[in-house]
Amino acid sequence: MPESSDAPRPERDRPWVMRTYAGHSSAAASNALYRRNLDKGQTGLSVAFDLPTQTGYDPDHPLARGEVGKVGVPVSHVGDMRALFADIPLSRMNTSMTINATAMWLLALYQVVAEEQAEAAGEDPAAAVRALAGTTQNDIIKEYLSRGTYVFAPGPSLRLITDMVAYTVAEIPTWNPINICSYHLQEAGATPVQEIAYAMSTAIAVLDAVRDSGQVPPERFGEVVARISFFVNAGVRFVEEMCKMRAFVRLWDELTRERYGVEDPKQRRFRYGVQVNSLGLTEAQPENNVQRIVLEMLAVTLSKDARARAVQLPAWNEALGLPRPWDQQWSLRIQQVLAYESDLLEHDDLFEGSVVVEAKVAELVAGARAEIERVQSMGGAVPAVEGGYMKSELVASHARRRARIEAGEDVVVGVNRFQTTEPNPLTADLGTAIQTVDPGVEAAAAEAVRRWREERDADPAARDRAAAALDRLRADAGTDTNLMAATLECARAGLTTGEWAGALREVFGEFRAPTGVSGSVGVTRGSEALSEVRASVRRTGEELGERLRVLVGKPGLDGHSNGAEQVAVRARDAGFEVVYQGIRLTPEQIVAAAVAEDVHLVGISILSGSHMELVPEVLERMRAAGAADVPVIVGGIIPESDAARLKELGVAEVFTPKDFGLTEIMARFVDVIRESRGLPLVSAGQPAARG
């Protein structure tokens, strides 16, 4: 007989935690956004901090110029943290904070606010702290490889992580003190094998450091393993990505059992959250990003035995600029439709016993094991970062991916195939298709933090407490004392993000990671188009009597260097002499290098939205240095209106994500240089006119 239509449905699994990555402008504005998102059914918070907060600067620091409130919320002190979570009870919230170099500081601020909330409600502050649930990203290794928001060298950075892990296991037992991030590795070009291997290598480095510190008794080490979480990426090749997650599960269980002797299967469980791939989101035909996001979400939800514990989805328009609340709502609704309308959560694992899946998982596990062994033979993740091995591998892998797209071997719908399109009503008015940050936000934040420090120091007792807290932090940093206690006192004493990080900079110093560019091998030397551009570069150099030199610079605090690195590698392959000094340079440093190296072209890369503040300063400094004749080009996520304004100011060319053809960009480099030197333009492969 057919099943009755009113037969009971199977019991459903509990859905994953649903988040949207959000934060901008100010603590108050972000708080309003969070409360709206929670009202819409979001079940956790994912806090985006701005770049000054991530790299340990206050809004009034010179390096913060143009970056305040752009890619996240500025949090300078405990007052900002109070405003950020006003009317959101932290002891009952699950909060993920994307923060790394300054993770200890932000966790201290979060804890202090949770204590204050409990006291105001007449509850036990200690109990509120023990109830805190959430995650601090806190994976510094991948910052050296991709995002670039590191501050200190690997040694001191690993010490901060170790201290946080030991503290949270003892004091905040349901907090995840580190989210080992393979997400950003894939964004930097990692293959699935590299993503698994480098994430596992980072986990080994962290767990070994905690074990060797002696801060956690051996009998409690399983609790450390149980609090390690991962943050992964899921690309559009969703079958391979699903198999990747099953490989992660298998390797983590093996590693924690065999290397660390963890017997409890619950403590060995691979716990991960995910944001699906942003690298694959396109500026061209951005409506296609919706189906990409859905496919990528399926990779981490279809397989019950390897299902994500938390999911946050990007918005369809992230390649255009900052998403609006409506765009984030759309991404949240995608999750809710899958979790609540479909029958996915009613079934056991769909792929158990699949010959195809098992073969792919075995292939990924074998490849990852081999790469983990290679990294371990170098001494582990830290030496592999310091020596530049992992960075060079990622840059080369990313270069190969870009070459496949340019050759049409990898199809990107709307970009290198099926480019004909109807007018897009979603982007008919680009001025309203993305969120914009009020230009007055930075000045207000800078004034607010100055006022905070002045009011604090106007009270002799408060001033003395703040000074004593900083002295203690410096003193403890010079020993092996766990730094969490001193950091909590800094938070309670009203110190600022810049003051806390500045004190540690005095003790630990700063660090510049290898760029990976010099060791990366060009992968398109045989292409006809590149050969033609190389010939044009050579002929133009002969006409000018010198080899063409290009400077690629990243001003401000934007550490997303993947695009800049690929431009630098392709420029070198095209025959240019390339000057690339890595991330976080001031406009003054970029101009000084351009003048000292006597370059023919300056290329500026900015993805954080600070282009309208930093690029004009570069132009002004070039003119002041007598180098106004050297053309400046700009690349990044730049709205059309901003691009037009930059050209009015003197920028020779603006490239955005739609300009994916690096070899075509190199040909444009040659044209721009020839125009600036009064030489007639030539098509690649055609002889240059002789004067």
Side-chain angles (χ1 to χ4, degrees):
M1 290 180 64
E3 183 179 324
S4 171
S5 60
D6 60 353
R9 294 285 179 89
E11 185 177 342
R12 298 170 65 87
D13 288 342
R14 186 176 65 181
W16 51 90
V17 175
M18 299 183 190
R19 298 184 174 120
T20 50
Y21 182 52
H24 66 89
S25 301
S26 69
S30 296
N31 172 263
L33 176 62
Y34 296 161
R35 287 189 284 111
R36 287 202 305 273
N37 286 347
L38 291 170
D39 288 343
K40 293 171 185 173
Q42 186 174 303
T43 52
L45 294 177
S46 181
V47 182
F49 295 100
D50 73 355
L51 290 175
T53 303
Q54 292 186 51
T55 51
Y57 295 106
D58 289 334
D60 59 343
H61 192 282
L63 279 174
R65 181 165 183 252
E67 308 283 14
V68 178
K70 285 283 173 61
V71 300
V73 57
V75 174
S76 300
H77 45 70
V78 70
D80 286 341
M81 191 64 89
R82 288 184 197 120
L84 186 62
F85 291 106
D87 300 318
I88 298 174
L90 298 188
S91 62
R92 296 190 293 277
M93 181 53 56
N94 189 303
T95 303
S96 172
M97 294 192 280
T98 300
I99 198 75
N100 296 284
T102 56
M104 178 180 284
W105 172 244
L106 271 297
L107 179 60
L109 295 176
Y110 191 82
Q111 175 179 327
V112 170
V113 170
E115 292 169 344
E116 292 176 349
Q117 288 184 350
E119 290 172 354
E123 299 169 357
D124 179 10
V129 170
R130 292 188 66 80
L132 292 178
T135 304
T136 29
Q137 192 171 100
N138 206 20
D139 173 3
I140 206 68
I141 297 296
K142 64 95 176 53
E143 295 300 317
Y144 304 123
L145 300 175
S146 52
R147 280 185 77 244
T149 66
Y150 59 83
V151 176
F152 314 113
S157 296
L158 198 55
R159 185 258 181 95
L160 289 170
I161 294 171
T162 299
D163 286 355
M164 276 186 67
V165 172
Y167 175 80
T168 53
V169 165
E171 304 296 336
I172 318 179
T174 57
W175 191 266
N176 302 322
I178 184 170
N179 215 223
I180 293 170
C181 291
S182 68
Y183 174 87
H184 306 91
L185 302 180
Q186 187 179 123
E187 296 288 293
T191 64
V193 163
Q194 289 172 324
E195 186 178 343
I196 297 167
Y198 296 164
M200 288 295 174
S201 296
T202 298
I204 291 170
V206 170
L207 289 173
D208 283 1
V210 174
R211 179 194 61 196
D212 297 344
S213 75
Q215 295 190 61
V216 179
E219 64 273 15
R220 296 191 65 184
F221 200 74
E223 296 174 47
V224 174
V225 171
R227 298 324 310 166
I228 302 297
S229 63
F230 289 76
F231 185 64
V232 306
N233 205 328
V236 76
R237 292 171 56 84
F238 75 99
V239 174
E240 183 175 54
E241 294 293 293
M242 184 272 294
C243 292
K244 179 187 75 181
M245 297 321 307
R246 295 174 77 91
F248 257 126
V249 169
R250 186 175 302 179
L251 276 171
W252 182 246
D253 186 76
E254 174 186 297
L255 172 70
T256 54
R257 184 180 64 252
E258 296 180 2
R259 188 180 182 97
Y260 301 107
V262 179
E263 297 297 331
D264 186 345
K266 291 183 179 179
Q267 292 180 330
R268 296 200 309 268
R269 184 179 298 152
F270 184 77
R271 301 160 55 251
Y272 77 97
V274 63
Q275 174 166 315
V276 305
N277 186 273
S278 291
L279 176 67
L281 300 183
T282 62
E283 179 184 12
Q285 299 181 25
E287 65 276 11
N288 294 333
N289 293 330
V290 176
Q291 51 265 37
R292 293 185 180 109
I293 290 167
V294 172
L295 286 171
E296 291 162 353
M297 177 180 62
L298 291 176
V300 295
T301 54
L302 279 180
S303 175
K304 180 177 179 178
D305 292 348
R307 183 170 292 151
R309 299 283 291 272
V311 177
Q312 61 189 46
L313 303 181
W316 68 276
N317 56 349
E318 286 197 14
L320 305 176
L322 188 67
R324 301 157 299 183
W326 184 85
D327 307 312
Q328 294 182 330
Q329 174 184 295
W330 191 356
S331 290
L332 175 62
R333 296 292 186 246
I334 291 172
Q335 295 198 57
Q336 291 169 330
V337 168
L338 179 64
Y340 298 111
E341 292 191 30
S342 86
D343 60 348
L344 174 66
L345 298 178
E346 297 175 6
H347 299 283
D348 288 334
D349 194 275
L350 304 177
F351 304 102
E352 186 65 37
S354 166
V355 175
V356 172
V357 169
E358 181 54 36
K360 187 62 179 178
V361 171
E363 175 191 327
L364 293 171
V365 166
R369 279 199 192 110
E371 187 63 14
I372 291 168
E373 290 172 6
R374 190 172 294 113
V375 171
Q376 292 306 113
S377 72
M378 300 174 186
V382 170
V385 164
E386 292 174 328
Y389 168 74
M390 287 201 288
K391 183 65 174 179
S392 293
E393 289 295 296
L394 292 177
V395 171
S397 179
H398 198 178
R400 288 191 289 270
R401 176 184 178 275
R402 289 294 299 254
R404 291 194 303 272
I405 292 173
E406 290 182 52
E409 297 168 12
D410 287 0
V411 174
V412 182
V413 174
V415 173
N416 64 356
R417 199 166 171 188
F418 312 117
Q419 293 148 297
T420 302
T421 181
E422 297 295 327
N424 185 344
L426 292 174
T427 58
D429 182 0
L430 278 175
T432 61
I434 57 173
Q435 178 91 12
T436 57
V437 176
D438 185 337
V441 162
E442 183 167 317
E447 174 56 31
V449 77
R450 283 193 291 267
R451 187 167 60 250
W452 174 274
R453 289 192 299 256
E454 290 168 359
E455 291 177 358
R456 179 197 67 199
D457 293 345
D459 178 345
R463 182 184 63 238
D464 291 347
R465 183 181 183 183
L470 274 183
D471 288 342
R472 177 185 176 184
L473 180 65
R474 293 188 194 95
D476 285 0
T479 70
D480 60 1
T481 301
N482 189 302
L483 290 174
M484 198 67 203
T487 297
L488 281 163
E489 174 56 19
C490 286
R492 294 178 179 123
L495 288 165
T496 68
T497 298
E499 290 171 325
W500 178 85
L504 292 183
R505 280 181 164 98
E506 292 176 28
V507 180
F508 296 152
E510 293 199 66
F511 180 73
R512 290 195 70 78
T515 66
V517 169
S518 61
S520 184
V521 178
V523 295
T524 54
R525 291 187 178 277
S527 80
E528 181 179 350
L530 185 60
S531 296
E532 292 176 353
V533 174
R534 193 179 296 117
S536 294
V537 170
R538 183 177 60 252
R539 287 194 299 271
T540 301
E542 290 171 355
E543 289 181 75
L544 296 176
E546 54 188 338
R547 187 179 177 189
L548 298 189
R549 290 178 296 281
V550 172
L551 182 145
V552 178
K554 285 195 66 63
L557 299 177
D558 170 30
H560 285 85
S561 57
N562 303 330
E565 290 155 1
Q566 293 307 308
V567 167
V569 169
R570 187 64 60 85
R572 186 195 63 200
D573 291 348
F576 291 100
E577 182 179 329
V578 178
V579 179
Y580 177 60
Q581 299 171 319
I583 62 172
R584 260 188 273 166
L585 300 172
T586 64
E588 183 179 16
Q589 290 171 321
I590 289 172
V591 172
V595 172
E597 299 288 345
D598 194 22
V599 300
H600 299 85
L601 179 74
V602 173
I604 302 298
S605 169
I606 300 177
L607 283 83
S608 65
S610 60
H611 46 270
M612 293 309 299
E613 290 84 6
L614 297 177
V615 174
E617 184 177 349
V618 170
L619 294 172
E620 291 168 10
R621 289 184 177 275
M622 291 288 286
R623 286 191 286 268
D629 59 329
V630 178
V632 173
I633 63 170
V634 180
I637 299 177
I638 300 172
E640 288 183 8
S641 58
D642 287 356
R645 178 60 183 147
L646 290 173
K647 288 185 176 181
E648 289 174 4
L649 293 173
V651 169
E653 190 63 89
V654 176
F655 297 102
T656 66
K658 70 178 183 296
D659 302 300
F660 72 96
L662 288 177
T663 297
E664 296 171 10
I665 291 174
M666 294 305 111
R668 183 59 185 141
F669 278 18
V670 178
D671 288 345
V672 169
I673 291 171
R674 294 186 69 86
E675 288 170 352
S676 72
R677 299 300 177 106
L679 299 175
L681 297 186
V682 294
S683 300
Q686 298 301 314
R690 299 288 179 177

